[in-house]
Amino acid sequence: MSTTQAADLWRGTSDARSAIEARAATTPAQRLAWLEESLQLALASGALARDRARRQRQADDWHVSR
């Protein structure tokens, strides 16, 4: 696998080369910690509740249109 192909596997919200390399260098435990922090922030900010409500509205709209 070329360096470019390997780097493509780590693309995310920031595609700067340093950000890609930093993400690639993290351990699975570090990635899990980051995910947990992100989830806690989403819970605390109400983002998850808003997303659940949005998804429920979509499901309700889909059900009514059927």
Side-chain angles (χ1 to χ4, degrees):
M1 181 181 290
S2 75
T3 304
T4 303
Q5 289 172 330
D8 288 343
L9 296 174
W10 294 101
R11 294 210 181 269
T13 58
S14 176
D15 289 338
R17 181 142 186 89
S18 61
I20 293 168
E21 290 172 357
R23 280 194 302 273
T26 59
T27 65
Q30 290 169 318
R31 291 180 204 141
L32 286 174
W34 179 86
L35 287 171
E36 183 167 353
E37 288 176 18
S38 298
L39 177 60
Q40 293 301 323
L41 177 61
L43 283 168
S45 69
L48 285 181
R50 287 189 301 275
D51 190 57
R52 284 185 189 124
R54 180 188 60 80
R55 289 174 186 239
Q56 186 62 53
R57 283 191 305 274
Q58 286 178 330
D60 292 345
D61 291 346
W62 180 83
H63 180 70
V64 169
S65 69
R66 290 272 163 180

